Amino acid sequence: MAWHEKILRVDLSKGTCQAEPLNMEWAEQYIGQRGLATKYLSEEMDPKADPLSPGNVLIFATGPLTGTSAATGGRYSVITKGALTKVIACSNSGGYWGGELRLAGWDMILVTGKAEKPVYLNIVDDKAELLDAEGFIWGESVWQTEAKIKERHQDSRIRVASIGRAGEKLARYACIINDLDRAAGRSGVGAVMGSKNLKAIAVRGNLGVQVKDPDAFHAAVTAARAKLDPSADRAGLAEQGTISMLDITQAFGSLPTRNNRDVQFEGSDKIGAAAMVAKRRSDGQPNLINNKACFSCTIGCGRVSKIDPDHFSVAGKERYKTAGGGLEYESVYALGPMVGVDDIDAATFANFICNEEGMDPISFGATLAAAMELYEMGAITDADTDGLKLEFGSAEALVKCAELAGLGEGFGADLGLGSKLLCEKYGHPDLAMVAKGQEFPGYDGRSMQGMALAYATSNRGACHLKADPYGDDFDGGPIEGKAEIVYSSQNAVAAVDSSGLCLFPMAVWDLGDVASQLDSACGGGWTAERLAETGERIWNLERRFNLDTGLTGKDDTLPKRILKEAAKSGSGKGKVAELAQMLPAYYEIRGWDDEGVPTTQTLRRLSML
Amino acid sequence: MAWHEKILRVDLSKGTCQAEPLNMEWAEQYIGQRGLATKYLSEEMDPKADPLSPGNVLIFATGPLTGTSAATGGRYSVITKGALTKVIACSNSGGYWGGELRLAGWDMILVTGKAEKPVYLNIVDDKAELLDAEGFIWGESVWQTEAKIKERHQDSRIRVASIGRAGEKLARYACIINDLDRAAGRSGVGAVMGSKNLKAIAVRGNLGVQVKDPDAFHAAVTAARAKLDPSADRAGLAEQGTISMLDITQAFGSLPTRNNRDVQFEGSDKIGAAAMVAKRRSDGQPNLINNKACFSCTIGCGRVSKIDPDHFSVAGKERYKTAGGGLEYESVYALGPMVGVDDIDAATFANFICNEEGMDPISFGATLAAAMELYEMGAITDADTDGLKLEFGSAEALVKCAELAGLGEGFGADLGLGSKLLCEKYGHPDLAMVAKGQEFPGYDGRSMQGMALAYATSNRGACHLKADPYGDDFDGGPIEGKAEIVYSSQNAVAAVDSSGLCLFPMAVWDLGDVASQLDSACGGGWTAERLAETGERIWNLERRFNLDTGLTGKDDTLPKRILKEAAKSGSGKGKVAELAQMLPAYYEIRGWDDEGVPTTQTLRRLSML
């Protein structure tokens, strides 16, 4: 129970949709969502396949708690080989689409091959069909796509996950957007979808989700909510969203600024949580209109924002007169300090374009930051940019580049390469602020050593959501302790990412709270210990997939800027990331050999051999 | 103009109230409020007089912008020789009392001598009289005092500044409270008032304030508001109050915890801005009910809070069923991390008692923290505390001690001594976290070196409001630059503190914005440069008063814990305050000799000789 034990296999090359039973042996070992889908991916595809070829497999996977009343039980993940990174991609999204898929009776959608012509997948409960997208929604933005699907099928309750024009044009960091502004955001999963000529997946569900022991489940959910709902962490996320982190990283000196040349941004107070509620002059309205929540979520960290209609002039701004998904910490870091821009309207506008055209704002902003540094040094010239001045701090450049990258036009095609390929193309590969080809989130690894290790070892490339080193980093915890903190939090996160729940309640919950909800919903004896071990198994499964792509321990590294150039200010002033000191300890605690390969003993211990 | 050019002289020994003209020559040199009152104090009293003797002078002083429409123009200061510190005291308060005094036509009230029996001063416009307090409000709390005065005089619009029972009992950190929860908070100005048998000053004003050039003033006020009102700083203070600083000092590692033994507090998320809006379990209400603003203020940083009526059991809690002034950063630091308590209801309750009985929560909390450390080491025993367990982290001890200190009963009389005398009494003077006898605010000087210098050199003892080193400290600015930052911000703050305006707009304004409002209101050619020089003059006047009390450069120091014991965690881990390096540079930039005495040359430059 809780699992429907039913997956939808879509073969785009053949144009077929078929139901098949979920492999429950694998579900016992990998739960669902991130873990289970990675198992399917490993078994279904050649890890060496080009991510943009028909040989890649694209999986939309829920967890057994997705679509239930468990607080934050609305998550799904997209698992594939990443277009940006060429290693495992697992992009987790909220909103309502995942819950709807479960209400329609499906645990997972497994997409193989490539459609001859653009299509979209339409699911109503147990009925699934591929429909023509050409002449209908192909070439449209995410927002237009959702509106058109709802109109054609005459049902406003349909939930849509789709790619925008960035995904169609194979921008390496194109994402998949559901519910207009919730994203399976990172690693280029939207480009994979685009390469398969799959524009959208529309879902309507009326069937519900069965849990094994309804009384016990209700009690477990109620107990977990009683911890979460009155907590300060929940309240802070509801009131301010994640953007409140900006004041902290600014004060601490871990706010990546101007392609990580600086670690504090002089304009941070113009774009943070307080600025979002400051009255705007031209129409008297604040940037922040409201907060909003995902399926079954009692937090509501999402922002609803408006831009100042008269604040700056860009093409197409009339499209943004209504409210949309607002800035969060990662988007504001990348569309603000990282490109040196202190204009909250420009950053919000760029974020809207990222939502509308389906781009990851982190990778877009960081790629633009790299381009700005290349422009400043003369490696990129006006001839490359059609005369656009790519200067740090230019709100005009930010907005124009977001439009170009979203459409894949002009210099936007270069930007769509991502930092790594862009910096290689223009002759300065060291300037790409990436790990395993994926751009950094909003934390500088020189004042946050645990985060540096988390970036270098993350299976999907630099990530702020695959480990939890924050507290110890802000406490100034010793280098010696970082490996253990990164190791154990990576495991815990992998388990939660496989359950259908969001990570944010984990500020208050422990794995026992997840286990009590999972066990009452699914049965089978889930405990905190088993979840931690399962998380470790998932981590090693991802690592093996990556090693099978050709990755080696040498890829567990960081850019020279973070390893060799000392931070200029803040609490990390004069310091670099001490990766050489932390990585061997991390390999050891993981039970990996000196090359970063899991030992036979480790795989046996985790029942993977 | 703007000045009424009229002060009220109250001789308590003689029982007389007399109007006299303001010394306008001094006003040109020292503006008003803090600066001008310090000039009066210097001329009127023997600096060596015991602060609790009739020879001390107690001045309630407004600035020329108090009571005008200038944003935040509602401030007044209490200037006297501090009961806690035995040096200059200048305690600045908001609320509505200062504006009302100006509307009644007075710039300043100068109180000398001591009343034979308890009295209160009643002012209605130009009429001022001393009335009997005994058998009426003497022995009553601040809150009861205000209610009784309004009832007797049958006017709900009366504004009252008074002392509570802590002030009557001469608690060294007793404060003066106006408008129920706004405080002239620090240095024991309430004990001075108590020593004079003056319980309260009630004011009603109907006369208004005249400005010199109404059109120019309106334009200057409008321009200054246009900067302030849409700013992120204003929005942040309105939304969260000052308490949002807690997340920053916690992450940065500058949050004094358990008498500064630690610099980060494991329970900080239970008592910060987010916790204030988190729903409470027993009645479903949050701690934070609303925000509120002072006279003419467009910020509204004040908090209105309620405690959970069923959360913990203490005597007298039924008194707190209605909302009152809530936790701000300084009160939450002192009533939370400093005493190791993570209970927001207990901290709010203790803060209510501080308001009701007229105690400075910073000094009360820090004194209790010192007592807890003395108790832990056995220097204070159950025999001293009547069996009360003074353990770090005990919400019960916090609440009980607040009640005892507020009433001056039992061990509360010891707590009323303040940290310095308490630690001396119990044989461990080093454990008092003070500078010049005044307890630290919520910043540890080991990770914030500029703040360490600001504490050591503040004329009124350790203070967070007499200099502005925050930004540079959080940026990790070099030791070499601290003297200049502390010097110039001390001067700027002294000028603003003398104008009638609040410091908080200075996050957005510069001295030019103050000058344009001051000059259009008063005339006389006020500019940013003149304000900076005037601020420097005020600083030196305060310094000379202090030197005349017997203070020397040796008093510009910090406790051994801050100078010798390295911080345990956070960004200052392993560091101590480098005062020996900063202080000579500070003396030099101030134009003081090696002993910290202003040179003749410096005093001549400032037209003080």
Side-chain angles (χ1 to χ4, degrees):
Chain A
M1 293 263 237
W3 292 282
H4 293 300
E5 306 193 9
K6 185 174 141 194
I7 74 175
L8 176 63
R9 180 178 292 270
V10 178
D11 185 329
L12 291 170
S13 300
K14 293 183 186 162
T16 56
C17 299
Q18 279 188 304
E20 69 179 45
L22 187 70
N23 185 325
M24 286 307 294
E25 203 176 303
W26 294 351
E28 290 293 323
Q29 270 212 308
Y30 297 100
I31 314 178
Q33 203 174 342
R34 173 176 164 188
L36 186 58
T38 303
K39 179 66 177 169
Y40 270 94
L41 192 81
S42 302
E43 301 288 339
E44 294 265 347
M45 78 173 276
D46 172 8
K48 293 204 158 43
D50 185 314
L52 297 176
S53 75
N56 198 358
V57 172
L58 179 66
I59 305 178
F60 296 77
T62 63
L65 295 178
T66 309
T68 70
S69 61
T72 77
R75 311 295 301 187
Y76 77 98
S77 291
V78 177
I79 309 292
T80 188
K81 182 173 177 178
L84 181 70
T85 53
K86 300 185 179 173
V87 293
I88 188 82
C90 62
S91 296
N92 186 310
S93 182
Y96 288 79
W97 187 90
E100 195 77 17
L101 184 65
R102 288 274 289 170
L103 297 180
W106 303 99
D107 295 319
M108 191 187 279
I109 305 170
L110 193 149
V111 182
T112 63
K114 176 181 178 177
E116 204 176 330
K117 288 183 173 180
V119 295
Y120 70 104
L121 175 62
N122 191 48
I123 299 172
V124 182
D125 295 336
D126 55 358
K127 186 172 163 231
E129 57 184 344
L130 289 166
L131 300 172
D132 246 0
E134 207 160 41
F136 172 46
I137 48 176
W138 194 258
E140 299 286 5
S141 76
V142 165
W143 296 356
Q144 291 163 319
T145 296
E146 175 163 326
K148 288 197 165 194
I149 288 175
K150 285 178 170 174
E151 194 200 357
R152 166 184 273 190
H153 297 279
Q154 285 293 298
D155 188 346
S156 65
R157 295 165 302 173
I158 293 171
R159 300 292 175 181
V160 177
S162 72
I163 56 171
R165 286 171 280 207
E168 293 182 14
K169 295 288 181 70
L170 308 182
R172 293 302 195 286
Y173 45 75
C175 63
I176 299 170
I177 298 275
N178 56 280
D179 302 295
L180 300 180
D181 53 34
R182 297 295 93 192
R186 304 220 69 196
S187 313
V189 297
V192 175
M193 192 161 167
S195 76
K196 294 187 174 306
N197 272 333
L198 179 62
K199 177 69 178 176
I201 304 181
V203 188
R204 269 293 287 130
N206 305 285
L207 304 176
V209 177
Q210 304 292 316
V211 297
K212 183 165 192 294
D213 183 340
D215 288 344
F217 182 66
H218 180 67
V221 166
T222 303
R225 280 195 51 163
K227 276 193 187 181
L228 175 63
D229 292 356
S231 72
D233 297 279
R234 187 210 59 77
L237 285 165
E239 285 285 305
Q240 296 217 314
T242 57
I243 200 171
S244 63
M245 181 59 83
L246 190 70
D247 290 341
I248 293 172
T249 53
Q250 167 68 9
F252 196 71
S254 55
L255 176 60
T257 300
R258 288 177 284 267
N259 208 33
N260 289 77
R261 284 202 311 219
D262 298 301
V263 295
Q264 293 179 309
F265 181 49
E266 61 285 356
S268 71
D269 67 332
K270 295 188 183 165
I271 52 170
M276 286 185 88
V277 296
K279 291 287 174 206
R280 311 308 302 169
R281 266 164 287 189
S282 73
D283 65 354
Q285 288 221 23
N287 178 283
L288 182 66
I289 303 299
N290 211 336
N291 71 327
K292 66 171 180 176
C294 300
F295 184 100
S296 204
C297 176
T298 57
I299 299 174
C301 72
R303 304 291 95 184
V304 181
S305 282
K306 278 184 83 166
I307 57 163
D308 185 337
D310 300 322
H311 182 61
F312 63 103
S313 84
V314 284
K317 76 170 180 179
E318 65 283 354
R319 291 206 308 269
Y320 302 94
K321 286 193 172 157
T322 56
L327 292 166
E328 305 184 359
Y329 177 64
E330 292 302 335
S331 48
V332 82
Y333 128 74
L335 305 173
M338 192 63 166
V339 290
V341 170
D342 64 6
D343 183 325
I344 195 170
D345 287 292
T348 304
F349 186 91
N351 192 49
F352 278 11
I353 293 175
C354 286
N355 287 333
E356 185 174 9
E357 298 302 351
M359 293 189 292
D360 171 18
I362 302 178
S363 285
F364 162 71
T367 300
L368 178 56
M372 284 172 162
E373 186 163 1
L374 291 165
Y375 182 85
E376 189 179 283
M377 71 203 308
I380 290 177
T381 67
D382 285 354
D384 301 308
T385 66
D386 282 332
L388 185 63
K389 308 289 180 202
L390 286 193
E391 283 157 0
F392 281 119
S394 167
E396 289 295 321
L398 167 64
V399 163
K400 188 70 190 160
C401 285
E403 293 192 313
L404 290 171
L407 298 174
E409 293 175 353
F411 187 68
D414 270 2
L415 287 170
L417 294 171
S419 304
K420 181 167 179 282
L421 295 182
L422 181 88
C423 290
E424 284 172 5
K425 174 172 176 176
Y426 288 100
H428 295 273
D430 282 348
L431 294 184
M433 295 300 113
V434 299
K436 296 190 177 71
Q438 178 153 289
E439 288 77 11
F440 292 159
Y443 305 90
D444 191 284
R446 290 166 288 190
S447 53
M448 296 179 72
Q449 297 283 336
M451 191 59 87
L453 180 62
Y455 284 174
T457 61
S458 167
N459 286 322
R460 71 161 175 171
C463 183
H464 60 294
L465 290 171
K466 298 288 178 260
D468 185 7
Y470 300 89
D472 189 67
D473 279 352
F474 289 136
D475 289 357
I479 293 287
E480 293 69 32
K482 300 297 183 190
E484 159 63 27
I485 288 162
V486 169
Y487 158 78
S488 58
S489 62
Q490 283 174 338
N491 296 346
V493 163
V496 177
D497 275 353
S498 303
S499 70
L501 302 178
C502 176
L503 290 178
F504 284 177
M506 300 308 290
V508 183
W509 292 349
D510 55 29
L511 284 181
D513 297 302
V514 177
S516 62
Q517 296 179 86
L518 193 63
D519 193 58
S520 53
C522 303
W526 289 97
T527 62
E529 295 67 31
R530 183 171 163 200
L531 280 176
E533 192 194 58
T534 302
E536 185 171 8
R537 185 180 302 123
I538 294 166
W539 194 267
N540 279 276
L541 183 69
E542 291 174 339
R543 179 70 173 186
R544 287 185 72 190
F545 181 90
N546 282 355
L547 293 170
D548 289 344
T549 68
L551 171 137
T552 71
K554 291 199 176 62
D555 295 299
D556 297 333
T557 190
L558 294 170
K560 201 172 78 176
R561 177 159 288 169
I562 307 300
L563 295 175
K564 303 282 185 191
E565 294 177 23
K568 289 182 193 164
S569 71
S571 65
K573 191 174 176 181
K575 293 183 188 160
V576 297
E578 300 294 348
L579 188 61
Q581 209 178 323
M582 295 182 285
L583 196 60
Y586 174 84
Y587 282 178
E588 191 181 341
I589 204 165
R590 275 238 165 267
W592 294 357
D593 67 18
D594 294 348
E595 312 282 304
V597 178
T599 63
T600 305
Q601 205 172 14
T602 298
L603 296 175
R604 285 231 174 82
R605 175 170 60 78
L606 296 170
S607 313
M608 296 176 72
L609 282 186
Chain B
M1 292 263 241
W3 293 283
H4 293 299
E5 307 192 9
K6 186 174 140 193
I7 74 175
L8 175 63
R9 180 179 291 271
V10 177
D11 186 329
L12 291 171
S13 300
K14 292 183 186 160
T16 56
C17 299
Q18 282 187 303
E20 69 178 47
L22 187 71
N23 185 324
M24 286 308 294
E25 202 175 303
W26 293 352
E28 291 293 323
Q29 270 211 309
Y30 297 101
I31 315 176
Q33 203 174 341
R34 173 176 165 187
L36 186 57
T38 303
K39 180 65 177 169
Y40 270 93
L41 192 79
S42 302
E43 301 286 339
E44 295 265 346
M45 77 173 278
D46 172 7
K48 292 202 158 45
D50 185 312
L52 296 176
S53 75
N56 198 358
V57 172
L58 179 67
I59 305 177
F60 296 78
T62 65
L65 295 178
T66 309
T68 71
S69 60
T72 77
R75 310 296 300 187
Y76 77 98
S77 291
V78 177
I79 309 294
T80 188
K81 183 172 176 179
L84 181 70
T85 53
K86 300 184 178 173
V87 294
I88 189 80
C90 62
S91 297
N92 187 310
S93 182
Y96 288 79
W97 187 91
E100 194 77 17
L101 183 67
R102 288 275 289 170
L103 297 179
W106 303 99
D107 295 319
M108 190 186 283
I109 306 170
L110 193 150
V111 181
T112 63
K114 176 182 177 175
E116 204 175 327
K117 288 183 175 177
V119 296
Y120 71 103
L121 175 62
N122 191 48
I123 300 172
V124 182
D125 294 337
D126 55 359
K127 186 172 162 232
E129 56 183 346
L130 289 166
L131 301 172
D132 247 1
E134 208 160 39
F136 171 45
I137 48 176
W138 193 258
E140 299 285 5
S141 76
V142 165
W143 296 356
Q144 292 163 318
T145 295
E146 177 163 325
K148 288 196 165 194
I149 288 175
K150 285 177 169 175
E151 193 200 357
R152 166 184 273 189
H153 297 279
Q154 285 293 298
D155 188 346
S156 65
R157 296 165 303 174
I158 293 171
R159 300 292 176 181
V160 178
S162 73
I163 55 171
R165 285 172 281 206
E168 293 181 11
K169 295 287 181 71
L170 309 182
R172 293 302 196 287
Y173 44 76
C175 63
I176 299 170
I177 298 276
N178 57 279
D179 303 295
L180 301 182
D181 52 34
R182 299 293 94 192
R186 303 220 69 195
S187 313
V189 298
V192 174
M193 193 163 168
S195 77
K196 294 187 174 307
N197 272 334
L198 178 62
K199 177 69 179 176
I201 304 180
V203 188
R204 269 293 286 131
N206 304 285
L207 304 176
V209 176
Q210 303 292 317
V211 296
K212 184 166 192 292
D213 183 339
D215 288 345
F217 181 66
H218 181 68
V221 166
T222 303
R225 280 196 50 163
K227 277 193 186 180
L228 176 63
D229 293 355
S231 71
D233 298 278
R234 187 209 60 75
L237 284 166
E239 285 285 305
Q240 297 217 315
T242 57
I243 199 171
S244 63
M245 180 59 83
L246 190 71
D247 290 341
I248 293 172
T249 53
Q250 167 67 11
F252 196 70
S254 56
L255 176 59
T257 300
R258 287 176 286 266
N259 208 34
N260 288 79
R261 283 202 311 218
D262 297 301
V263 294
Q264 293 179 310
F265 181 48
E266 62 285 355
S268 72
D269 67 332
K270 296 189 183 164
I271 52 169
M276 286 186 87
V277 296
K279 292 285 175 208
R280 312 306 301 165
R281 269 164 284 188
S282 73
D283 64 354
Q285 288 221 21
N287 179 282
L288 183 67
I289 304 298
N290 211 336
N291 71 326
K292 65 172 181 174
C294 300
F295 184 100
S296 203
C297 176
T298 57
I299 300 174
C301 72
R303 304 291 94 182
V304 181
S305 284
K306 277 184 85 167
I307 57 163
D308 185 336
D310 300 321
H311 183 59
F312 62 104
S313 85
V314 283
K317 75 171 182 181
E318 66 282 355
R319 292 206 307 271
Y320 301 95
K321 286 193 172 156
T322 56
L327 292 167
E328 304 184 359
Y329 177 64
E330 293 301 336
S331 48
V332 81
Y333 129 73
L335 306 174
M338 192 62 166
V339 290
V341 170
D342 65 4
D343 183 326
I344 195 170
D345 289 290
T348 304
F349 187 91
N351 193 48
F352 279 11
I353 293 175
C354 286
N355 288 332
E356 186 174 9
E357 298 302 350
M359 293 189 292
D360 171 18
I362 302 178
S363 286
F364 163 70
T367 301
L368 178 57
M372 284 172 162
E373 186 163 2
L374 291 165
Y375 182 85
E376 189 179 284
M377 71 203 307
I380 290 177
T381 66
D382 285 354
D384 301 308
T385 66
D386 281 331
L388 185 63
K389 307 289 180 202
L390 286 192
E391 282 156 1
F392 281 119
S394 167
E396 290 296 320
L398 168 64
V399 163
K400 188 68 190 162
C401 285
E403 294 192 311
L404 290 172
L407 299 174
E409 292 174 355
F411 187 68
D414 270 2
L415 287 170
L417 294 172
S419 304
K420 182 167 179 283
L421 296 181
L422 180 87
C423 290
E424 285 172 5
K425 174 173 176 176
Y426 288 100
H428 295 274
D430 282 349
L431 294 184
M433 295 299 114
V434 300
K436 298 190 177 71
Q438 178 152 289
E439 288 77 10
F440 292 160
Y443 306 90
D444 191 284
R446 289 165 287 190
S447 53
M448 296 181 71
Q449 297 283 335
M451 191 59 87
L453 180 61
Y455 284 174
T457 61
S458 167
N459 286 322
R460 71 160 176 171
C463 183
H464 60 293
L465 290 170
K466 298 288 178 257
D468 185 6
Y470 300 89
D472 190 67
D473 279 351
F474 289 136
D475 289 356
I479 293 288
E480 293 69 33
K482 300 297 182 189
E484 159 63 28
I485 288 162
V486 169
Y487 158 78
S488 59
S489 63
Q490 283 174 337
N491 296 346
V493 163
V496 177
D497 275 353
S498 303
S499 70
L501 301 177
C502 176
L503 290 178
F504 284 178
M506 300 308 290
V508 183
W509 293 349
D510 55 30
L511 285 181
D513 298 302
V514 177
S516 62
Q517 297 179 85
L518 194 63
D519 193 59
S520 54
C522 304
W526 289 98
T527 62
E529 294 68 31
R530 183 172 161 199
L531 281 176
E533 191 193 59
T534 302
E536 186 171 7
R537 185 180 301 122
I538 294 166
W539 193 267
N540 279 275
L541 183 68
E542 292 174 337
R543 179 71 173 185
R544 286 184 73 190
F545 181 89
N546 281 354
L547 293 171
D548 289 343
T549 66
L551 172 138
T552 72
K554 291 200 176 61
D555 295 300
D556 297 335
T557 189
L558 295 169
K560 202 173 78 175
R561 177 159 287 168
I562 308 301
L563 296 175
K564 303 283 185 191
E565 294 176 22
K568 290 182 193 162
S569 72
S571 66
K573 191 175 176 180
K575 293 183 188 161
V576 297
E578 300 293 348
L579 188 61
Q581 209 178 326
M582 296 182 285
L583 196 60
Y586 174 84
Y587 282 178
E588 190 180 343
I589 204 166
R590 275 240 165 266
W592 293 356
D593 68 18
D594 294 349
E595 312 282 302
V597 178
T599 63
T600 305
Q601 206 174 12
T602 298
L603 296 175
R604 284 230 175 82
R605 175 170 60 80
L606 296 169
S607 312
M608 295 177 73
L609 283 184

